[in-house]
Amino acid sequence: MATEQKRDEQSMKPAPRVTVPAVMGAKGRRKLTMLTAYDYCTARWVDRAGVDMILVGDSLAMVMLGHEDTLSVTMEEMLHHTRAVARGTQRALVIGDMPFLSYQVSVAQAVENAGRFLKEGRAQAVKLEGGASVLQQVRAIVEAGIPVQGHLGLTPQSIAKLGGFKVQGKDQEAVNKLVEDALALSEAGCFSLVLEAIPASVAQRITEAVPIPTIGIGAGRACDGQVLVIHDLVGLFDRFVPRFVKQYDALGQRIMEAVIRYREEVEKGVFPGPEHTFGAIPS
Ligand code: KIV
């Protein structure tokens, strides 16, 4: 945990917000941390744990709403969750993930929707997926004063094209395209770049080539930072567990055990006990 953060905890003053320049300045100095969160309570715990960035990922389509993939989540749903996360966050930089078809159709639509994440969602930045095909959008959004995080490699909004959740950058042509896209996104003004499910050596090449921080998920240790989906990290999402996930807890199991204890105590008449029960009003 950073020294400044400890000092702020001791003085009980709210810690200053992590800024986009601070994230950019971390490259080559210290590793960055990013996690997803989708609701107020989780955002509060993640924020207190001292991560640099909280992503309100469109993965919420799968882990919060139970969709098959990320394609169905809407702008309104993303904004609803972003507002909740923003209310629960004091220190981390909050990034809203632009959902499928909220930026691909036109540059004007991309700027307008990106702006909604800041204006209505109270995020400090947005993330969008893609390389050469979204450069105009990135330039226009940045020009409007909205920080943009790029996302290359396995881009789940393109699973129809990619043929599923598969590791990317596996041949020389694909590697060259990833490096070109990374450089182009950086030149277009992205402040950082998520690299998802690509070989570690490719992520290292990109990390060395671009001046902005790379944030890896299934992209090895050489990245400037790491991101995971919170439901994966704490063991809540069990439909599938990608190889790149480390489960630091088995919260799903622990929730179920707590609920079983509750159910059994209610069924046996043990809960509520006297300590949970209000006495009669004295007459
Ligand atoms: O939506 C998401 O959670 C993401 C992360 C996996 C980077 O895009």
Side-chain angles (χ1 to χ4, degrees):
M1 194 184 292
T3 326
E4 316 87 75
Q5 196 193 340
K6 273 199 201 135
R7 209 180 306 124
D8 279 312
E9 273 169 9
Q10 279 157 12
S11 68
M12 300 302 280
K13 270 197 280 160
R17 178 85 64 185
V18 174
T19 61
V20 164
V23 168
M24 296 178 81
K27 188 170 175 98
R29 293 203 168 85
R30 68 173 181 90
K31 292 279 188 186
L32 289 158
T33 50
M34 179 160 113
L35 268 182
T36 67
Y38 316 99
D39 66 274
Y40 171 77
C41 280
T42 311
R44 271 171 73 85
W45 289 114
V46 171
D47 192 55
R48 285 184 209 158
V51 303
D52 296 302
M53 292 171 274
I54 295 183
L55 172 69
V56 188
D58 64 355
S59 49
L60 77 81
M62 298 170 74
V63 301
M64 296 290 290
L65 306 178
H67 291 295
E68 275 294 292
D69 51 43
T70 61
L71 301 180
S72 311
V73 71
T74 65
M75 266 303 291
E76 299 313 319
E77 287 167 333
M78 289 302 302
L79 288 172
H80 173 79
H81 287 272
T82 305
R83 279 192 288 271
V85 167
R87 286 194 286 268
T89 309
Q90 291 192 333
R91 177 183 175 272
L93 185 84
V94 177
I95 304 172
D97 206 2
M98 298 193 69
F100 182 53
L101 289 192
S102 70
Y103 57 95
Q104 291 93 338
V105 177
S106 73
V107 171
Q109 183 213 37
V111 176
E112 195 171 330
N113 281 327
R116 291 188 72 194
F117 273 100
L118 270 63
K119 204 169 172 173
E120 299 172 42
R122 305 304 298 172
Q124 287 88 45
V126 297
K127 175 170 88 57
L128 52 78
E129 298 181 6
S133 60
V134 294
L135 289 180
Q136 276 188 299
Q137 283 89 330
V138 171
R139 280 192 208 100
I141 297 170
V142 172
E143 186 71 19
I146 302 165
V148 180
Q149 181 173 67
H151 185 160
L152 290 175
L154 170 53
T155 45
Q157 291 176 18
S158 308
I159 47 159
K161 193 167 92 183
L162 302 176
F165 294 102
K166 293 180 180 161
V167 176
Q168 301 298 303
K170 287 180 51 175
D171 60 51
Q172 200 51 54
E173 197 186 333
V175 172
N176 292 343
K177 170 91 173 95
L178 280 171
V179 177
E180 272 168 33
D181 280 348
L183 285 166
L185 285 171
S186 165
E187 276 157 26
C190 283
F191 74 95
S192 60
L193 183 57
V194 169
L195 299 176
E196 179 165 355
I198 59 173
S201 57
V202 180
Q204 178 165 5
R205 196 171 140 197
I206 295 172
T207 301
E208 286 166 4
V210 294
I212 54 173
T214 58
I215 312 294
I217 173 162
R221 281 188 192 169
C223 294
D224 299 302
Q226 297 292 326
V227 56
L228 280 178
V229 167
I230 184 77
H231 288 58
D232 289 337
L233 179 146
V234 298
L236 259 183
F237 185 73
D238 66 350
R239 231 166 63 200
F240 59 89
V241 182
R243 179 194 156 120
F244 55 71
V245 166
K246 178 167 176 182
Q247 289 185 320
Y248 286 81
D249 207 327
L251 222 54
Q253 184 68 30
R254 292 211 281 142
I255 288 174
M256 191 182 70
E257 283 164 11
V259 173
I260 288 173
R261 287 208 321 272
Y262 160 78
R263 177 177 60 72
E264 288 175 348
E265 289 197 0
V266 171
E267 286 170 356
K268 287 182 197 147
V270 173
F271 177 82
E275 69 276 32
H276 310 116
T277 307
F278 301 108
I281 302 166
S283 49

